[in-house]
Amino acid sequence: MRSLILRTVAPLIVGLMVLFSIFVLLRGHNEPGGGFIGGLIAVAALSIYGIAFGVETVRRAIVFHPLAIAGAGLMLSTLSGLVSMVFHVPFMTGLWIYPVILGEEVPLSSVMTFDIGVYLVVVGAVTSVALSLEERGED
Amino acid sequence: MSVADLTFLALLLPFLGAIVAPLVTRILGHNAAWALALVPVAIFLHLTGFSAEIARGEVVTGGYAWVPSFQVRFSWLIDGLSLTFMLLISGIGALIVLYSGGYLKGHPHQGRFFSFLLMFMGSMLGLVASDSFLMLFIFWELTSITSFLLIGFDHQREAARRAALQALVVTGGGGLFLLAGLIILWNMTGISQFSLLTAFAPQVKASPLYLAALILVLGGAFTKSAQFPFHFWLPNAMEAPTPVSAYLHSATMVKAGVYLLMRLYPVLGGTPAWQIILPVFGAATLIIGALLAVRQTDLKLMLAYTTVSSLGLLVLLTGFGAPYAIEAAALYLVAHCLFKGALFMVAGSIDHETGMRDVTRLGGLRSAMPLTFAAALASAASMGGLPPFFGFLAKEEVYAALYAFDGRAIIFAALAVVGNALMFAAAFAVALKPFIGKRVETPQAAHEAPLLLWLGPAVLALMGLAVALLSGTVHQLITSPMASAIAGEARVVTISLAPHFGVPAALSTLTVLLGIGFYLRLARLRAAIAAALAAIGWGPDRGFDQAMRGLVRLSCAVTRRLQTGRLDIYMTATFTLLAVVLIVPPFLYGELARAPVFPQDIPLHELAIMAIAVIGLVAVILAQDRLTAIVSLGIQGFSVAVIFLLYGAPDLAFTQFMIETLAVVILALVMTRLRLSPSDHRPLRESLPDAAIALACGLGATLFLLKVTQAPFDTGLSDFFNQYSKTIAHGANVVNVIIVDFRGTDTLGEIAVVMIAALAILSLVRLRAGSLRRIADNDPDAEEASR
Amino acid sequence: MEPVFSLLTGIFLTIAIYLMMSKFIIRMLMGVVILGNAVNLLIFTSGRIMREVPPVIGPGLDVPAGPVANPLPQALILTAIVISFSFFAFLLVLSWRAYSTLGTDNTDEMRVAEPDGTPLPPLGY
């Protein structure tokens, strides 16, 4: 798939898709969306990038090994559940803080970090599968 | 510490000893026997503390709650019966431990042997001390297991392995019968303790389940106590080292079955069934065991078969139901422990010192082994029922019980006389033949056994004399309480060495004369029995082999039938069952769905998308090339996504959309690479039944779902989530709030699964070709070698 | 609407099971994918069908205004979709590996672990 058009458009599309995936992830709590969907959109973006430029480029672009990303996500999700221990409430109880950043009240919560963990797991795991399969295709 | 605590400790002590035994043996070598013998000695001393209470006819019970929710207790019952057994177990146990020290001197696994032996001792003590049914069963099976370990101690010989397995299968299997029998008793009365059960005896005997309980209990007792036709495992168990034969297979474990019969005598005994089954099997065992004993030339085998015979006599007496029968059983049991344990140890000493166990190739050892000879002679005299030994008292009492002038008693008395005479001959064949006559060359030059080896038989032989001389005290302390405990009412044993005349004495004399006759004609008798056995040509021992082989063949055939290794058969079976489960119960229980009312106002676009989904599905089945198959698969997936979108599930729609895309992509990646054809190669005769099963499943699922949706809907959970999603969890998208907040722990598990799947996929992809081939060869040895 | 969905689910299940009873791994795989959809539809239908109103609470409200689609089956299905995809990917790679190692895609010929005609286990002791 060494199409010139794809190669030209790919960086733009991929950038937009990754941005969109994060948007879907963050709005998930109040609108349709969330970690699973966001993660899958990001995977799709990376797959397109891989088709355009080859697997190696993708691996370089995401810096970490995909499974390391997934592992980090799983850990983040677990820790989000464990934070509640500090406050002597049951595991996985949602905790919210409302810091004011730049004059705007921003709701942050352990639920959100949990969802980010889900996102990372989906991105890491599915990317790892897709990339390793694509890699074999180039053998 | 209270007495109860000490008793508990005494029951625990052998197991503690078993733990330290290997270590002690490593430090002290064979002299560890002296240290380890302290364990049974301590138990023995603790138990003698009860003798005063027991002699007064009292009963000592104690214990702890074990599984309170099922009213199961760890509790013991010490009365005349169990105390006698426990004294025998610990007393003879101490001598056996010492004997093993000498017998297995220098054996590389002597420590292990001590460990097994002490474990057995603990199990056996627990068995006879148990008050609760379950505790008895557990210790019962533990004795089977430890006996397995001890018989198979010399596990490099196939004969030992076979004997061990045989003993385990027969006695362990019998234990399961016993368990069933005890549970029936438990169910019948609501009582799970022997000490309380006696009061329910009339109720048990009147119950319609009485016969079932009796037969099941007898199944346990007869296998353990080697009654015909389960006697064959006991001679085979002679593969064990001789201390084991002396301890387990003559003095203690094989008596567990008799113990059980005696323990349950007040509850189950005395009925016509009891008085027919027990004497018949006992007499058969008595005669067959004695005949087979005389046939043997191996010292240990002769003794083993006489043990079978003696056990038969004990069962006969326990079931006979005449005056003196219980007293005779109690006396004979004690006497047998003493003389048979001693004779086994003598046989072991001869074997140990000469390297020869065949009685026809031994002779003239009296000058080389005088102490052993003396012990042997005294024990044989006791076994043969000669005065002034304890065996004489026992035999007198036996005849006193059996003799009566009715037809039944005459038959059994005659059988007992013949059996005892044969045992007499066997006893002197073991204890006299090797020592008298001309000296015969043996593999090792014979000389007197060391202290550890002659001590045990000498002490037991002296005991056989002493208890006969002090019969009054012994009756008061041991045998009378024991007989009373068995009978469930006060019994007084009075027999002594004082001269007396009557039918019993005449029968006794007849036995001795007949025995001397058999002894003198031993060779001819042996040949005659051997010829008879050859004519029969089949025995339960061979039957056991055939049964075991048959079992392997059967299980192999069944496994091959059920696990063919062919996936499509598993699939067909699974889905056939699914179809049956979905379709049959609604018809059986009249739970069919009402005729569905299809809505008339379905918008066209919804119908269209469903039609597209179905077209996609059909196309997947019909596809002849890869591209069509992949595209069709994508079509049905995307249709589902659209359906989700149309029916208020945008989250699902988006996720399904992404997933379908990715699935199609990776399916295409793999399929194009493998050049796999998606088309079906099933012939019609396979595809039609498959289609029928699939249709049945689909129909079943439709009916099921119709029924489910026609039932009233409980909206409780959904209302809860809708209500609190915003107010508690601060999220407007209820689905997402459920996933990340309400049911967050589930989601955590699910992403862990995703992670693990990715790891598994990655490792599959990364496997090197070489390692794959090794797995394919499926040869663990080669894999091991290549490392 | 539920009767229509029941029928649709039945059709999905029929096709999935028919495919899974094939001897060829690639068809079985396609069957597994469709089975996933069939089960998701089953859960969706048993939670009752509601047109077009997603379970999202409007701005400024604390509870949904009016009836909305049942959120519970949706949450179950959402994770089920992702899990069944992971499962499918694993099976796919597994069958690819099996094919490249054993040289066949016919399950009848995959007899490495349980070959035909293995002898009886030893009959001795």
Side-chain angles (χ1 to χ4, degrees), chain B residues 545 560 606 718 750 764 776, chain C residues 51 70 79 97 112 118 125:
Chain B
D545 275 350
R560 293 233 173 100
E606 290 180 7
S718 311
E750 278 147 8
L764 269 179
Chain C
R51 266 204 196 83
N70 191 349
T79 42
R97 267 306 182 186
V112 175
T118 38
Y125 294 92

Side-chain angles (χ1 to χ4, degrees), chain B residues 78-123:
Chain B
I78 298 175
D79 58 2
L81 177 60
S82 51
L83 183 70
T84 308
F85 263 95
M86 289 168 84
L87 287 174
L88 287 169
I89 293 162
S90 53
I92 297 180
L95 298 174
I96 293 287
V97 168
L98 292 177
Y99 185 80
S100 323
Y103 190 82
L104 286 174
K105 182 177 171 183
H107 192 286
H109 298 306
Q110 197 178 20
R112 185 189 297 172
F113 183 81
F114 281 133
S115 187
F116 290 164
L117 201 64
L118 288 171
M119 268 192 257
F120 166 76
M121 191 185 295
S123 315

Side-chain angles (χ1 to χ4, degrees), chain B residues 77-83 128-130 136 194-195 198 258-267 485-486:
Chain B
L77 163 68
I78 298 175
D79 58 2
L81 177 60
S82 51
L83 183 70
V128 294
S130 295
L136 175 106
F194 292 108
S195 51
T198 317
V258 176
Y259 166 81
L260 183 74
L261 296 178
M262 291 176 166
R263 173 60 75 207
L264 289 173
Y265 177 83
V267 184
I486 299 168

Side-chain angles (χ1 to χ4, degrees), chain C residues 49-72:
Chain C
I49 308 294
M50 154 76 65
R51 266 204 196 83
E52 280 162 14
V53 189
V56 175
I57 300 164
L61 295 175
D62 275 347
V63 288
V68 292
N70 191 349
L72 185 60

Side-chain angles (χ1 to χ4, degrees), chain B residues 294 383-384 386 395 399 416-429 507-522 525:
Chain B
V294 173
M383 180 168 165
L386 295 177
K395 204 148 289 178
Y399 288 135
V417 168
V418 174
N420 277 328
L422 286 167
M423 278 202 273
F424 178 94
F428 282 95
L507 285 176
S508 202
T509 316
L510 179 64
T511 307
V512 172
L513 292 176
L514 208 57
I516 293 172
F518 284 144
Y519 178 78
L520 295 174
R521 297 272 182 286
L522 202 57
L525 199 59

